[in-house]
Amino acid sequence: MHKLQALECLRGFAALYVLVGHLLLAGLQIEHPAVRFALQFGQEAVMVFFLLSGFVIFWSLRPETSFRQYFVQRARRIFPIFIIALLLAYAGACWKTQSLVAVQWTTLLGNLVMMQDLAFLKPGVWCDVYHGNLPLWSLAYEWWFYLMFYPIERFVPARLRVPVVVAISASGLLWYTLWPMQPALYLMYFLIWWLGVEIARAYRAGQEAGSAPLVGTRPLSIARAIAVPLALLMAETAALAARAWFEHQYHGMELRPGLDPVLPLRHFAAVCGIVVLGLAWQRIGFRGFGVLFAPFIVFAPISYALYVIHFPILTAGLFDGLPPLVQAVAYLAVFLALAWVLEVRLQAFINRITRPWLGGPRVVANPAVISTTTHGLRTTEIPVKSLGK
């Protein structure tokens, strides 16, 4: 099975970055200013996941895939490990208190229908993450992005797709500004995810033309292809900046990087910066990419499980009392072992028993890609060495 190794490297890096940030800052409570600064960009890492996910979901969709098949592929990839993450959150809470804690049925149901978010960071959240498993917030966004993608890609004319997505995102921004509610956030952030779709579309067009724009001889092809959605994303970023200024100036809201109204501005601005940086890096052939990111490819196959299971294990304090270095090694060993079991063993079993649910002729994945999640990419190969020596 071939893989787009550049994306695999980024996926592994982003997942490990979030994990190490939580391990050192929340778990071991490292106070060194340089460490805290270097690891404070977990939110930006999640935005990278959104872009990668949009890219790969587009890449994986075959013309003959029905909505039923698409839905089953997405659900069986997301929910089994997600449910285990919910169970770990409950078990971690019990371990930490050394007693049975309340199940929180309403919150559990809200998580199971993918309506969770971080209530302490933003207004209008309907359902908090279950028992404080903070990374689960982004899975709800991913799930609704998946569901919005299929009908737009299948039934909206090509020339209208970007305008439709922009209209959805802008309506979410307006809705959230006037009346903060959680569904508005899913709509507003959809443009970020869709930008990954448009990058993938440009890459595929380049392949069909005999040149791979990510590493080939046409460095401006992707920039031209995504110019309109990127410009509109920048316009929404400016609108979020105006919203933050207005809330501070007239409602007295404190402007803090990790809280609304700055947090969504931070997300959108980060995506603009990441994409512009990526386009600039493309111009010089991604020089140095392999040196910086190639080592992280080993974490890519288990990155989804690493992302969703580490926090409740960490906050349960399993290894409290041990020296910090011993704690770090012990936690990493547990995270890696459990993630491998879930991603390699359990996921293969789930795929096998749910194969009949796909219905009709068996859907064989595009040779370039198989089903994915935010952190579960499987794509066509571009050698890492070609992205920078």
Side-chain angles (χ1 to χ4, degrees):
M1 179 63 66
H2 297 295
K3 299 181 180 181
L4 179 53
Q5 292 185 343
L7 301 189
E8 293 281 87
C9 295
L10 291 175
R11 177 166 64 100
F13 169 78
L16 193 67
Y17 179 88
V18 172
L19 184 153
V20 171
H22 287 154
L23 174 61
L24 297 185
L25 302 185
L28 303 183
Q29 298 183 345
I30 302 297
E31 297 295 337
H32 193 284
V35 174
R36 299 194 72 85
F37 175 79
L39 295 175
Q40 68 178 335
F41 301 104
Q43 295 282 325
E44 287 74 12
V46 175
M47 297 302 108
V48 172
F49 286 141
F50 285 175
L51 288 169
L52 293 177
S53 177
F55 186 108
V56 182
I57 293 301
F58 168 82
W59 198 261
S60 67
L61 187 66
R62 295 171 61 88
E64 67 272 21
T65 302
S66 68
F67 179 74
R68 172 184 172 177
Q69 293 166 332
Y70 173 80
F71 183 88
V72 170
Q73 289 170 338
R74 302 279 67 76
R76 72 181 184 178
R77 189 68 179 95
I78 283 279
F79 278 98
I81 294 176
F82 172 65
I83 290 171
I84 290 173
L86 296 176
L87 294 174
L88 284 173
Y90 179 76
C94 292
W95 179 279
K96 189 173 183 178
T97 61
Q98 293 297 297
S99 63
L100 290 176
V101 299
V103 175
Q104 299 180 357
W105 291 105
T106 302
T107 304
L108 177 59
L109 178 61
N111 279 248
L112 288 173
V113 297
M114 288 295 183
M115 291 301 297
Q116 72 274 9
D117 208 333
L118 300 178
F120 69 97
L121 295 183
K122 59 197 80 167
V125 171
W126 289 355
C127 179
D128 212 344
V129 291
Y130 190 60
H131 277 294
N133 191 352
L134 300 185
L136 299 186
W137 74 271
S138 64
L139 295 190
Y141 287 74
E142 282 284 342
W143 180 250
W144 295 108
F145 295 161
Y146 292 164
L147 295 186
M148 288 189 283
F149 166 76
Y150 187 92
I152 293 174
E153 185 65 25
R154 277 286 188 257
F155 305 119
V156 174
R159 70 182 186 281
L160 297 179
R161 287 178 191 141
V162 169
V164 166
V165 171
V166 170
I168 290 172
S169 181
S171 66
L173 171 58
L174 180 61
W175 180 5
Y176 194 71
T177 299
L178 299 177
W179 188 15
M181 295 179 70
Q182 194 160 335
L185 288 169
Y186 302 150
L187 300 180
M188 182 170 72
Y189 279 73
F190 188 43
L191 180 56
I192 289 176
W193 190 89
W194 192 271
L195 194 58
V197 172
E198 294 303 320
I199 293 172
R201 200 186 308 278
Y203 174 64
R204 175 170 288 173
Q207 278 204 329
E208 292 171 352
S211 171
L214 287 178
V215 296
T217 59
R218 299 164 56 201
L220 296 180
S221 56
I222 287 184
R224 290 171 181 155
I226 67 170
V228 172
L230 180 58
L232 293 169
L233 184 74
M234 291 178 175
E236 285 203 34
T237 305
L240 285 167
R243 172 180 175 264
W245 176 85
F246 181 86
E247 294 288 2
H248 173 69
Q249 196 75 11
Y250 294 99
H251 295 159
M253 293 184 69
E254 187 178 0
L255 298 182
R256 296 178 59 185
L259 298 176
D260 188 81
V262 177
L263 185 59
L265 169 61
R266 173 181 165 185
H267 289 157
F268 275 68
V271 172
C272 292
I274 289 167
V275 173
V276 170
L277 176 62
L279 292 173
W281 205 351
Q282 180 201 1
R283 293 288 303 272
I284 60 172
F286 291 105
R287 190 175 304 157
F289 183 96
V291 174
L292 290 173
F293 294 106
F296 300 101
I297 198 170
V298 299
F299 301 102
I302 59 172
S303 58
Y304 172 44
L306 279 178
Y307 180 76
V308 298
I309 59 102
H310 76 271
F311 200 77
I313 297 174
L314 182 63
T315 54
L318 295 181
F319 303 112
D320 285 355
L322 297 176
L325 181 59
V326 177
Q327 284 192 56
V329 172
Y331 276 122
L332 286 173
V334 170
F335 298 154
L336 292 171
L338 181 56
W340 183 85
V341 170
L342 295 178
E343 289 269 37
V344 177
R345 297 299 186 185
L346 177 65
Q347 191 61 56
F349 172 74
I350 294 296
N351 290 349
R352 186 166 60 252
I353 66 173
T354 58
R355 192 168 296 146
W357 299 3
L358 294 172
R362 179 181 172 187
V363 175
V364 179
N366 185 319
V369 67
I370 65 175
S371 61
T372 70
T373 68
T374 310
H375 322 301
L377 312 183
R378 301 288 190 274
T379 50
T380 192
E381 182 172 351
I382 289 180
V384 175
K385 64 182 180 181
S386 71
L387 295 179
K389 296 181 173 59

